[in-house]
Amino acid sequence: MIQINELHKSYRMGSNELHVLKGINLDIKEGEFVSIMGSSGSGKSTLLNIIGMLDVAERGEYILDNVPIENLSEKKAAIYRNKFLGFIFQSFNLINYKNAAENVALPLYYQGISRKIRKEKSLYYLEKVGLADWAHHLPSELSGGQKQRVAIARALASEPKVLLADEPTGALDTKTSYEVMDFLQGINDEGKTILVVTHEPDIADMTKRIVQLKDGVIEKDTFVEQVRASEHV
Amino acid sequence: MRFIFTRDTWQEIFGTIRKNKLRTAITIIGVFWGILLFVGLQGAAKGMENGFDYTFKDLATNSIFLWGQQTGIPYAGYNRNRTIRLELNDTYRIANQVEGVQFVVPRNAKGIFDGAAPLVVNKLKSGNYKVFGDYPIIDNVSKKKLRKGRFLNHKDISSNRKICVIGERIEKELFEKDDNPIGQYIKISNIYFQIVGVYKENNTDFFEGDDSIFIPFTTFKKVFNTGNRIGWMVIAGYPDEDIVAIEEKTKELLKRRYSVHPNDERAFGAANFGEMFGKITGFVKGLKFTALIVGIATILAGVIAIGNILLITVKERTKEIGIRRALGAKPGEIRGQIILESVFLTLVAGILGMTVGGLSLSVLNNFAKSWDDFPFMNPTVSLQYIGFAIAIMVILGTLIGLIPAQRAVSIRPIEALREE
């Protein structure tokens, strides 16, 4: 599903050049549940942003679902993001003046899907994350865990190939974190490819493969025995 | 362009606007005020124009009053200070020989420029009043408003009738309240005249006021023994003729006829109403033009204010825009939405401003009805100007919206999302 070869990225900080990714090679198959771990500054978020087409690599190859991602115009990137990827952020990133259902429907709006179907789908995915009753509430009326569940529903609504989660549990307490992970595991069980960036080992243990990043290179890449989140809830 | 007409686009825009009511209200005020001023000033200028038109509607505006004075330069054997008295024949000459002249009216009067006002007697009451010897055509110079009876006619002239038209003040002063003066006789300089009409003062007369007596020109000639001499004449040009040129040509003709030095500026006096009226018209035009410029400038300022606020808004909404872009909004969609917001806000503000402007004009009009002396009537703004203002607003709204829109899409989604 995702193939990355010799990926490099550096940032220019004034006169200094900060080499963040120093040749990453990664191959993720369909249906995998991968966590990318590393201390801050290891380049894990940069890698996720490049995979998410929110940022561009300097050098190297990135193939997503057999489509080489290169020379992206902003418009093309937008179309690919919309078609291939669903995002889950640490700070939820819901639009605060839109209610839960409207937030979930937003990626569908940019797909050009008709109102009626948008409404149906957004309700369907809200129900999937157990928030059907909260469809008409604004994000400010929801708890952190509920917000993240709305974000997950939004990420799922566009039926992406890959879910990208950047510290999805970073802003949540342990109990809610496990609930969110439980949802992600359920989605993965249905066959969705999921990529999670985290620095919490217990969260990483709930995925199926842990990629350890250190100073811009992959230090360790291991398949692990998945810990079911439901055992901890 | 199709996205302008889809319901979803508008739902997005209304959603954004509705959720930011205060911001929207502040944004709107600038353009609202601009359009209000634009409509108000245009309407007021138009009201002035209408007011002047109304004031001068009974007046031959393209006209000159002309009279003889004393020469200032010795010429052709004559000394200076020779008094020139215009004659009746001059009026025919001018009417026939000067190009652009519509008609020429000779006038004579007692009690205004020369001679004492004659004594007028009705039974036991009497008074001194101005007396004018006129042709009926004087009505075309300054319309007489008859309260009772009729004005002079051609039959009066040709048969030298001893009839008169008196002002309403004379009626009040010489007659009892319920006494109808029509058909009665009054004595003017010891000669009996039958009253055929009573006129009301109009707002554009020059000398008559409400206390004058009009008698036929021919009768005046006999009664006051003026012969062929006339007091002055009114020369009316056709509406589009250059009245200043007519004045020049008339004076040239008269100078030749009376052997006056070509450079003598003193021999003939003239009051050029056409010129004065032209200045008033010019003033109103200037007023309208100023109103237009001020109005457009104010709209411009308002639209710039919208752009300014949208720019701040875009910065405020950086994160939201980042989220939208992460979810797959194309740059064109973001740009389009912000421009549409700009145009929409501009238009709403504009239409609101027009409505309030129109209402205030109608209130102003009601007030103006009670100001008799102030030339102000029916302040209106033509649809043309409204259309023009709307076009300006749409164009400027789009242009000014481009700046924040460009800024919004120039933010990379990753940077937008990082912003907390």
Side-chain angles (χ1 to χ4, degrees):
Chain A
M1 179 59 73
I2 293 173
Q3 288 142 287
I4 286 169
N5 295 317
E6 280 303 310
L7 199 75
H8 287 262
K9 174 76 185 176
S10 51
Y11 289 111
R12 202 169 286 281
M13 310 282 259
S15 57
N16 297 339
E17 202 169 68
L18 192 63
H19 208 164
V20 185
L21 298 180
K22 302 167 181 165
I24 302 281
N25 293 295
L26 193 61
D27 192 356
I28 298 172
K29 300 266 177 309
E30 191 167 358
E32 282 199 65
F33 193 173
V34 181
S35 59
I36 300 172
M37 287 197 74
S39 54
S40 60
S42 62
K44 57 185 194 303
S45 283
T46 307
L47 179 59
L48 191 78
N49 287 336
I50 289 172
I51 293 173
M53 288 177 266
L54 295 171
D55 208 343
V56 282
E58 214 166 62
R59 202 138 44 81
E61 200 180 22
Y62 168 28
I63 297 165
L64 175 64
D65 197 27
N66 297 322
V67 179
I69 305 299
E70 56 196 2
N71 300 328
L72 281 185
S73 68
E74 290 282 359
K75 190 176 168 185
K76 220 165 156 192
I79 295 169
Y80 282 173
R81 276 198 292 271
N82 192 276
K83 210 163 110 186
F84 291 133
L85 304 170
F87 288 93
I88 300 163
F89 302 95
Q90 178 177 4
S91 51
F92 323 127
N93 282 345
L94 299 175
I95 291 177
N96 54 25
Y97 61 81
K98 286 181 176 289
N99 68 31
E102 286 167 342
N103 264 292
V104 173
L106 200 58
L108 301 173
Y109 167 68
Y110 289 119
Q111 278 180 351
I113 287 172
S114 79
R115 265 176 69 71
K116 206 172 143 228
I117 296 174
R118 281 203 317 258
K119 207 167 178 179
E120 277 170 16
K121 278 199 173 181
S122 66
L123 286 177
Y124 171 76
Y125 283 102
L126 277 176
E127 208 175 308
K128 209 171 153 83
V129 297
L131 289 173
D133 294 340
W134 298 83
H136 299 291
H137 287 254
L138 291 174
S140 56
E141 297 160 346
L142 302 175
S143 72
Q146 286 173 323
K147 280 186 208 170
Q148 197 58 295
R149 275 146 69 191
V150 172
I152 291 170
R154 182 176 67 182
L156 289 173
S158 57
E159 283 154 16
K161 304 269 183 203
V162 180
L163 269 190
L164 299 176
D166 187 3
E167 303 270 10
T169 59
L172 305 174
D173 60 44
T174 314
K175 187 172 169 287
T176 337
S177 296
Y178 292 167
E179 276 171 14
V180 165
M181 285 312 288
D182 189 34
F183 273 112
L184 291 179
Q185 283 176 343
I187 293 157
N188 177 244
D189 291 345
E190 289 170 19
K192 191 78 73 192
T193 316
I194 302 178
L195 205 61
V196 176
V197 163
T198 184
H199 64 271
E200 294 167 79
D202 55 334
I203 297 298
D205 286 341
M206 291 175 180
T207 64
K208 293 175 178 169
R209 176 182 173 186
I210 301 176
V211 175
Q212 279 280 356
L213 232 62
K214 196 176 183 190
D215 298 330
V217 288
I218 295 178
E219 191 190 40
K220 221 163 69 178
D221 185 352
T222 47
F223 288 84
V224 294
E225 187 64 32
Q226 189 180 34
V227 177
R228 296 304 293 191
S230 51
E231 293 164 17
H232 293 272
V233 176
Chain B
M1 277 320 243
R2 210 188 45 162
F3 84 112
I4 291 178
F5 301 105
T6 58
R7 191 174 157 193
D8 291 330
T9 310
W10 288 102
Q11 216 137 32
E12 278 297 302
I13 289 172
F14 286 138
T16 317
I17 288 170
R18 204 179 305 125
K19 301 287 157 52
N20 300 288
K21 288 195 187 85
L22 179 68
R23 192 197 89 204
T24 307
I26 293 171
T27 312
I28 274 180
I29 285 174
V31 167
F32 167 76
W33 186 244
I35 292 289
L36 183 66
L37 273 184
F38 180 82
V39 170
L41 286 174
Q42 280 300 323
K46 183 71 186 168
M48 285 282 259
E49 190 182 29
N50 289 343
F52 279 122
D53 281 352
Y54 179 77
T55 307
F56 293 118
K57 77 176 177 348
D58 297 329
L59 185 72
T61 47
N62 208 22
S63 61
I64 315 161
F65 282 32
L66 197 128
W67 60 92
Q69 299 181 147
Q70 288 178 325
T71 57
I73 301 172
Y75 188 64
Y78 294 108
N79 268 336
R80 62 196 292 235
N81 290 340
R82 171 170 54 108
T83 302
I84 306 285
R85 289 300 305 251
L86 296 176
E87 290 178 4
L88 196 52
N89 289 339
D90 297 334
T91 62
Y92 308 139
R93 272 199 196 89
I94 291 165
N96 291 333
Q97 290 175 25
V98 178
E99 228 175 287
V101 171
Q102 192 177 9
F103 59 83
V104 182
V105 193
R107 299 193 81 181
N108 263 323
K110 276 267 180 263
I112 167 156
F113 296 120
D114 50 3
L119 185 70
V120 180
V121 184
N122 174 38
K123 291 163 197 147
L124 294 174
K125 292 179 174 175
S126 68
N128 291 79
Y129 301 104
K130 293 168 277 184
V131 176
F132 290 80
D134 267 315
Y135 282 96
I137 197 174
I138 194 67
D139 214 30
N140 290 359
V141 176
S142 171
K143 186 95 189 142
K144 297 287 166 293
K145 289 184 177 153
L146 270 291
R147 261 207 23 226
K148 292 173 186 167
R150 63 171 177 87
F151 196 61
L152 309 175
N153 63 27
H154 289 288
K155 197 87 185 155
D156 302 330
I157 299 288
S158 54
S159 28
N160 306 333
R161 278 182 184 155
K162 282 181 276 187
I163 53 102
C164 65
V165 176
I166 62 172
E168 58 182 345
R169 196 157 104 209
I170 303 177
E171 180 193 9
K172 222 174 279 168
E173 288 175 1
L174 297 187
F175 290 87
E176 297 299 332
K177 223 179 181 153
D178 304 322
D179 200 2
N180 186 0
I182 303 292
Q184 298 203 40
Y185 288 87
I186 51 173
K187 233 169 22 173
I188 304 172
S189 291
N190 280 321
I191 297 165
Y192 279 102
F193 281 77
Q194 190 180 28
I195 298 170
V196 295
V198 177
Y199 75 87
K200 212 167 97 183
E201 184 175 15
N202 78 18
N203 49 0
T204 52
D205 66 29
F206 295 97
F207 318 111
E208 293 91 347
D210 58 353
D211 57 346
S212 294
I213 297 172
F214 293 95
I215 63 175
F217 188 87
T218 46
T219 317
F220 189 99
K221 188 162 125 182
K222 290 201 160 169
V223 169
F224 296 103
N225 198 24
T226 50
N228 264 334
R229 284 166 303 173
I230 61 172
W232 71 97
M233 61 174 94
V234 182
I235 303 164
Y238 283 102
D240 292 331
E241 292 291 335
D242 179 3
I243 197 69
V244 178
I246 291 177
E247 183 185 336
E248 294 288 314
K249 283 185 209 153
T250 307
K251 281 185 174 169
E252 267 170 40
L253 184 140
L254 290 173
K255 279 171 184 171
R256 260 182 277 125
R257 156 133 170 75
Y258 288 99
S259 302
V260 172
H261 191 281
N263 293 334
D264 195 336
E265 293 299 327
R266 268 172 54 184
F268 301 99
N272 195 323
F273 290 100
E275 209 182 343
M276 284 194 265
F277 187 75
K279 277 177 189 159
I280 291 173
T281 318
F283 165 72
V284 172
K285 261 190 199 146
L287 203 67
K288 283 177 86 177
F289 185 69
T290 312
L292 188 69
I293 296 294
V294 171
I296 290 173
T298 327
I299 293 176
L300 192 70
V303 174
I304 288 172
I306 284 196
N308 203 353
I309 291 174
L310 278 178
L311 204 58
I312 296 169
T313 308
V314 162
K315 194 153 173 51
E316 229 168 59
R317 287 164 67 191
T318 301
K319 187 161 182 186
E320 179 201 324
I321 290 165
I323 298 169
R324 284 172 183 275
R325 296 195 59 186
L327 295 180
K330 295 177 204 76
E333 286 170 319
I334 298 281
R335 198 184 285 130
Q337 193 192 333
I338 287 170
I339 291 175
L340 268 190
E341 256 183 70
S342 164
V343 172
F344 178 73
L345 288 179
T346 313
L347 273 181
V348 167
I351 287 162
L352 224 65
M354 281 173 194
T355 314
V356 175
L359 287 177
S360 31
L361 282 181
S362 86
V363 169
L364 192 64
N365 192 31
N366 278 337
F367 274 116
K369 277 178 188 153
S370 56
W371 308 331
D372 277 341
D373 297 335
F374 191 65
F376 194 87
M377 255 185 105
N378 298 334
T380 51
V381 182
S382 68
L383 280 176
Q384 234 171 315
Y385 273 121
I386 296 289
F388 175 65
I390 288 179
I392 279 197
M393 286 189 301
V394 171
I395 292 168
L396 289 181
T398 308
L399 288 180
I400 213 78
L402 275 175
I403 301 169
Q406 198 48 47
R407 193 196 165 96
V409 294
S410 69
I411 302 169
R412 309 253 320 270
I414 175 74
E415 285 156 21
L417 286 174
R418 235 180 248 147
E419 190 148 310
E420 287 297 328

